[in-house]
Amino acid sequence: MMILRSRWMLLVLVAIPVFVIDQLSKVWLSDVLLRYNRPIPLLFDWVQLAYHENTGVAFGLFPDQEGVLSVGAGLVLLLLALTYQYVLPADSRWITVAVGMIFGGGLSNLVDRIRQGYVVDFIQFGWWPVFNLADSAITIGVAALAFHIIFIGEEPAPTEPEPIDDELLYELLSHDPSIPAAIDVRTSGPESLS
């Protein structure tokens, strides 16, 4: 029970900062970018901040499907929670942090869809579609989870030490000191009897 509680606590401690940072970045950058009214270059024209309202899923696929996408995203988060609870290993911090990142990012984008009908994206990276910090957290979390499943797999259970034969120790400790010890044959001769 304690492992289960600490496991979910760690997940929440990862998910909440991802959610809060993503929400704050969207509010602040939306205000800045809408006032500036054009992309802000960070690294020449290759990396820039650009305001974009995404009504579709990641990378702008399936636009204008807010209701279906909101329900779908909610179901995916529920399925992830059930998988985390009943399928994924309970003692892996790697998995817990990865799932926490996915939860935080997914929940932040879901809140945007429900509240606004779209997700604010603002990072434009070369030819890559515009994305946000929640998308980054989801991508990193999924990559870390996949890496763990593919390359690490189930962590071996700690080996238990072999049991120690305590028979001699028990015999020595259970010996009653009032009873004389057995006579040593080597020292008991005819002269020792007199």
Side-chain angles (χ1 to χ4, degrees):
M1 183 68 170
M2 189 62 173
I3 290 177
L4 183 62
R5 186 176 298 149
S6 65
R7 175 184 195 205
W8 280 98
M9 183 61 75
L10 178 59
L11 185 140
V12 169
L13 289 175
V14 171
I16 288 176
V18 169
F19 177 87
V20 169
I21 291 169
D22 181 64
Q23 288 292 305
L24 291 175
S25 68
K26 288 173 182 173
V27 169
W28 180 67
L29 285 168
S30 293
D31 183 49
V32 169
L33 292 171
L34 288 174
R35 272 190 283 127
Y36 198 64
N37 203 21
R38 62 185 174 143
I40 300 172
L42 296 178
L43 186 62
F44 307 108
D45 286 338
W46 203 60
V47 179
Q48 50 190 350
L49 298 176
Y51 182 84
H52 178 71
E53 295 176 359
N54 182 0
T55 60
V57 293
F59 313 122
L61 299 172
F62 310 112
D64 301 320
Q65 303 291 324
E66 299 88 23
V68 173
L69 293 177
S70 295
V71 170
L75 289 174
V76 167
L77 288 175
L78 177 63
L79 180 63
L80 180 61
L82 292 172
T83 302
Y84 178 70
Q85 176 68 36
Y86 298 109
V87 177
L88 297 174
D91 56 347
S92 174
R93 288 183 185 213
W94 181 290
I95 287 179
T96 300
V97 170
V99 173
M101 292 179 76
I102 297 168
F103 258 107
L107 195 57
S108 182
N109 281 344
L110 179 60
V111 166
D112 285 353
R113 285 187 196 290
I114 293 170
R115 192 181 67 216
Q116 305 170 155
Y118 59 87
V119 174
V120 174
D121 290 334
F122 54 84
I123 303 170
Q124 195 165 8
F125 191 75
W127 51 269
W128 199 257
V130 184
F131 60 97
N132 57 40
L133 296 179
D135 297 335
S136 300
I138 293 168
T139 303
I140 292 168
V142 168
L145 193 58
F147 178 84
H148 188 278
I149 290 169
I150 294 168
F151 295 108
I152 298 174
E154 285 193 35
E155 295 166 3
T159 58
E160 301 220 2
E162 290 192 26
I164 300 171
D165 184 14
D166 289 336
E167 188 176 320
L168 179 61
L169 181 61
Y170 176 75
E171 186 178 317
L172 290 171
L173 292 176
S174 66
H175 179 70
D176 187 359
S178 63
I179 301 174
I183 300 173
D184 190 353
V185 182
R186 291 171 298 182
T187 61
S188 60
E191 60 278 353
S192 65
L193 291 174
S194 50

